[in-house]
Amino acid sequence: GENVEQHPSTLSVQEGDSAVIKCTYSDSASNYFPWYKQELGKRPQLIIDIRSNVGEKKDQRIAVTLNKTAKHFSLHITETQPEDSAVYFCAAQKGGSASKIIFGSGTRLSIRP
Amino acid sequence: DGGITQSPKYLFRKEGQNVTLSCEQNLNHDAMYWYRQDPGQGLRLIYYSQIVNDFQKGDIAEGYSVSREKKESFPLTVTSAQKNPTAFYLCASSSQGLGNQPQHFGDGTRLSIL
């Protein structure tokens, strides 16, 4: 069935260093790949997304890359700051907006001062 | 997002009892979703609805029921058949614009067993 695998499950980086989270999806028909950030006890919030017709997208310190051939996509956070500490979820969706979205299992990112 | 309201924030269920979690949105979104989140885990889809009076089972629908009588509302009932209901429940909605649109989440309801 449809599946999204996310690695690593936990990640600790020194403040100022970069963090990379990787996801692999199984359904080649997936065409939309959002990333969500969830702080402890709060709602997930969209931080960046990418569509299948684009290979890379950047927004300030955050970037996402997509390799459709290999069916994997990655989140890159540069110059990490304490407020980047949270759980990050990748997701994949195919078809229209109302189709179901498959989430990865999450990565707990900790930024060491 | 202020556009999606979940209530209550905390809910306690007695054994054998059905409880209903509320989700209301004023974003004019057609699609709505219910997810269950267990500690340290990802989001698992319970039910979703693409349009009023229609809904589909997600990956873990057993022990749950939903209704979609109004576009703005998508309540979730946790029935007594759900033997392990303790979890964080998140409601989300999305529009049906050109191409896929991101989901907007509510603040969640934390359900515990008494």
Side-chain angles (χ1 to χ4, degrees):
Chain A
E2 301 155 339
N3 186 43
V4 174
E5 292 190 0
Q6 182 171 349
H7 299 281
S9 57
T10 59
L11 179 61
S12 178
V13 301
Q14 193 76 32
E15 183 178 350
D17 288 350
S18 296
V20 180
I21 302 170
K22 298 181 179 182
C23 289
T24 303
Y25 59 98
S26 60
D27 192 337
S28 56
S30 298
N31 56 14
Y32 177 63
F33 307 92
W35 285 88
Y36 290 86
K37 174 183 180 182
Q38 186 179 28
E39 297 178 12
L40 189 62
K42 296 190 176 180
R43 67 178 79 185
Q45 293 195 304
L46 180 76
I47 55 171
I48 195 167
D49 57 8
I50 191 167
R51 301 178 193 277
S52 58
N53 58 347
V54 175
E56 184 176 4
K57 183 177 179 180
K58 287 183 180 179
D59 182 3
Q60 299 182 339
R61 297 187 296 108
I62 293 173
V64 57
T65 59
L66 172 65
N67 183 328
K68 286 188 294 181
T69 303
K71 292 192 284 188
H72 66 71
F73 56 114
S74 301
L75 178 71
H76 304 252
I77 306 174
T78 59
E79 301 172 16
T80 53
Q81 300 169 4
E83 54 265 36
D84 294 330
S85 294
V87 178
Y88 292 81
F89 293 98
C90 64
Q93 187 178 30
K94 64 180 180 181
S97 299
S99 60
K100 68 177 188 177
I101 189 169
I102 310 298
F103 284 88
S105 55
T107 295
R108 183 173 299 278
L109 175 63
S110 301
I111 308 301
R112 302 192 303 272
Chain B
D1 278 340
I4 298 181
T5 303
Q6 287 187 243
S7 62
K9 190 169 184 177
Y10 299 96
L11 186 59
F12 297 91
R13 195 192 88 169
K14 294 180 181 178
E15 194 150 344
Q17 184 184 42
N18 292 353
V19 292
T20 297
L21 284 60
S22 170
C23 178
E24 303 278 332
Q25 54 100 357
N26 61 4
L27 300 169
N28 199 34
H29 286 171
D30 289 299
M32 297 188 74
Y33 308 79
W34 273 106
Y35 295 93
R36 170 178 171 143
Q37 187 174 33
D38 292 283
Q41 297 191 29
L43 305 173
R44 292 187 291 167
L45 182 65
I46 305 172
Y47 269 97
Y48 65 110
S49 168
Q50 298 174 320
I51 197 169
V52 174
N53 292 322
D54 186 46
F55 47 83
Q56 288 81 40
K57 291 182 179 180
D59 301 316
I60 54 165
E62 186 174 350
Y64 301 97
S65 66
V66 293
S67 63
R68 187 83 187 278
E69 297 177 1
K70 298 186 300 182
K71 187 175 184 178
E72 303 79 21
S73 179
F74 191 41
L76 173 74
T77 297
V78 184
T79 74
S80 57
Q82 173 50 250
K83 298 306 180 187
N84 183 24
T86 297
F88 188 51
Y89 291 86
L90 285 161
C91 178
S93 70
S94 66
S95 65
Q96 293 200 55
L98 286 175
N100 300 83
Q101 299 298 321
Q103 296 193 357
H104 300 254
F105 287 87
D107 282 329
T109 293
R110 195 166 297 279
L111 176 62
S112 303
I113 296 179
L114 279 177

